[in-house]
Amino acid sequence: MTSTTSTAIPAIEIHDLHKSFGTVKALDGLNLTVRPGEVRGFLGPNGAGKSTTIRVLLGLLRASSGSARLFGGDVWRDAVALHGRITYVPGDVSLWPNLTGGECIDYLIRLNGGGDKARLRARKAELLERFELDPRKKARTYSKGNRQKVALVAAFLSDAELYILDEPTSGLDPLMEAVFTEYIREAKAAGGSVLLSSHILSEVEKVCDTVTIIRNGIDVESGTLDELRHLTRTNVTALVGGDPTPVAALPGVHDLVTTAADGGTRITFDADNARIGAVLSAITTLDVRSFTATPPSLEELFMRHYGDVLDADEAAAEAAASANGAPAKKAGAR
């Protein structure tokens, strides 16, 4: 990968970004930075503003106010020059129906500037094999998952400095998601930056250095996973021989549950990370026989901001199903 990007210049820099469609505010003061070599997860359910942000970055929409820059250049004014340094994969890929998958890939690479033909040929063969894609079939015969594979093969064939990926593994099975994860890590190792918008929280947790959670068009949490975990609670499970009542009364202990087990008492609770040291000191006085502490997952961090939205969606689905006499489907974070 050839890059002229200075380490001092962010790959993406968004400041106080606003975008309105009439009276509807899609973005309401968003801030987002992706540094060189960084993989940032961009999280939020449908309607949060993720796709609008990406369209602004691609120069497809003009911001109402605020600034959005790629490698220091204005995304609207300098779009032509900037597009030669980025690659984009949407969550629903449209291809030329009468071309084969291989022809679509070749055309996309030529649009992106091409490169050394021998290297591209070898790299293409590797990617086709890893993604298990038959390039001889017409694009019109491809499933959604195979259309995504075409776009991903073309993306990872490029010498992009920045990958903007909007639900890129939509339609892929878990094995192909694992292959995608490998190539994201490879792109990062080569110095590339990645903005990964995804509903698959486990995928983000595997590959992302940092995460931004967006709600109603504004960033509500941003930082490394470790930094964000410090803002929430750790789940603790312990088997003790003593009376756990004093632990339940400690500041920072929540929802303590006790059950008799193996001649002792099993206790399960959540503890504020800021007070975890005092809580652990108290537990050590209780004849501890086993102990497990589990840091919060990305899903728990996400649900802290969106649990009410998902609960409302589930309630609406149940109401609609009840009106139609059909069982409701539960809402999920994905």
Side-chain angles (χ1 to χ4, degrees):
M1 178 179 299
T2 58
S3 173
T4 58
T5 304
S6 166
T7 56
I9 302 175
I12 296 175
E13 190 170 23
I14 293 173
H15 178 66
D16 195 27
L17 190 65
H18 293 255
K19 177 61 183 176
S20 296
F21 298 96
T23 59
V24 177
K25 288 186 176 181
L27 298 175
D28 194 20
L30 178 70
N31 294 288
L32 174 69
T33 300
V34 180
R35 295 174 178 82
E38 177 182 1
V39 182
R40 179 171 289 270
F42 193 38
L43 302 179
N46 293 335
K50 303 188 309 299
S51 293
T52 299
T53 303
I54 288 173
R55 290 185 184 118
V56 170
L57 288 174
L58 294 174
L60 301 177
L61 290 175
R62 192 165 193 167
S64 301
S65 64
S67 65
R69 307 185 74 80
L70 299 179
F71 309 110
D74 181 87
V75 296
W76 183 264
R77 186 183 60 246
D78 305 320
V80 174
L82 292 171
H83 286 183
R85 303 172 67 178
I86 67 176
T87 192
Y88 165 62
V89 177
D92 194 359
V93 174
S94 296
L95 300 173
W96 300 271
N98 292 323
L99 297 183
T100 67
E103 288 169 340
C104 289
I105 292 167
D106 292 341
Y107 185 56
L108 289 169
I109 289 301
R110 285 199 297 273
L111 287 176
N112 205 41
D116 179 79
K117 291 184 179 180
R119 184 194 69 81
L120 286 173
R121 194 160 43 244
R123 174 75 165 173
K124 179 182 174 183
E126 173 204 323
L127 285 160
L128 290 172
E129 180 179 0
R130 293 299 313 281
F131 279 105
E132 299 179 4
L133 178 67
D134 185 346
R136 298 165 297 178
K137 292 184 177 180
K138 295 288 187 181
R140 65 173 176 267
T141 69
Y142 279 153
S143 64
K144 175 176 172 54
N146 280 333
R147 293 197 303 273
Q148 292 300 124
K149 290 178 183 181
V150 168
L152 289 170
V153 169
F156 292 125
L157 267 172
S158 71
D159 280 328
E161 297 172 57
L162 172 64
Y163 298 79
I164 299 177
L165 310 176
D166 190 6
E167 307 288 349
T169 59
S170 177
L172 298 188
D173 62 45
L175 289 177
M176 292 301 100
E177 288 176 10
V179 173
F180 166 79
T181 296
E182 290 178 25
Y183 280 104
I184 287 293
R185 289 173 175 155
E186 181 183 290
K188 176 188 174 182
S193 305
V194 181
L195 179 66
L196 173 60
S197 171
S198 178
H199 282 147
I200 306 173
L201 301 183
S202 60
E203 176 180 80
V204 173
E205 201 157 21
K206 284 178 191 173
V207 301
C208 292
D209 306 304
T210 54
V211 171
T212 291
I213 299 174
I214 181 175
R215 179 167 188 169
N216 297 329
I218 191 167
D219 49 304
V220 292
E221 292 268 18
S222 195
T224 68
L225 286 174
D226 285 342
E227 287 170 345
L228 296 183
R229 283 169 176 150
H230 286 314
L231 302 175
T232 186
R233 300 170 180 172
T234 293
N235 180 261
V236 176
T237 299
L239 180 63
V240 300
D243 178 11
T245 303
V247 174
L250 289 172
V253 172
H254 306 271
D255 304 323
L256 187 140
V257 176
T258 63
T259 55
D262 301 325
T265 302
R266 188 176 307 280
I267 58 174
T268 302
F269 60 91
D270 291 331
D272 291 342
N273 286 349
R275 298 181 179 272
I276 194 70
V279 173
L280 296 181
S281 295
I283 291 176
T284 58
T285 67
L286 300 179
D287 182 22
V288 178
R289 300 170 188 178
S290 67
F291 178 88
T292 304
T294 306
S297 67
L298 180 56
E299 182 172 2
E300 289 171 306
L301 293 167
F302 184 87
M303 289 296 291
R304 186 175 68 185
H305 289 291
Y306 278 104
D308 57 338
V309 175
L310 298 175
D311 287 344
D313 287 347
E314 185 174 332
E318 289 176 350
S322 177
N324 295 325
K329 291 183 179 180
K330 291 202 174 216
R334 181 172 177 168

